[in-house]
Amino acid sequence: MKSENVLRIFGSLTGLDEPSALEYRFLCDMAFDNICSRLRDTVTEQDGGRAEFAAAALAYYRFVLLTLTEAGCVTVGEVSVKNPGDRLEHAARLLQEALSDIHDLVEDDGFVFERI
């Protein structure tokens, strides 16, 4: 798992250009550390892609929370979100799906990710 990949994916999720995404690198680094601390030691490079996406989704969710007061429209791929509440709901759903996707990679099978 590489933190640079997390930052790249985060930039794609937010739609920010590289210099703007770098301003939020701290969110990516915190999310990277959070996800890495929960992974098994046997995670392979292939599995790391799912973990990198989960870390980027966590950073994106925190980014949305941080910028929630800003009004405006966000477009990610073909999905356009105009209401800030919808934006938060979309980010939360994306995070839940990403965390669910790595459930087999976490260290403790009894571990449950926090509910959003």
Side-chain angles (χ1 to χ4, degrees), residues 64-78:
V64 170
L65 286 174
L66 188 65
T67 60
L68 190 60
T69 57
E70 297 174 7
C73 172
V74 129
T75 302
V76 177
E78 295 181 11

Side-chain angles (χ1 to χ4, degrees), residues 20-63:
S20 298
L22 281 171
E23 293 178 23
Y24 295 98
R25 183 181 193 99
F26 71 97
L27 291 176
C28 295
D29 290 343
M30 289 183 348
F32 178 82
D33 292 343
N34 183 294
I35 297 298
C36 280
S37 71
R38 298 173 182 337
L39 296 178
R40 293 185 181 136
D41 292 335
T42 58
V43 173
T44 66
E45 182 117 358
Q46 273 184 311
D47 294 334
R50 290 187 290 151
E52 288 166 350
F53 184 80
L58 177 57
Y60 175 66
Y61 177 74
R62 291 174 175 172
F63 169 80

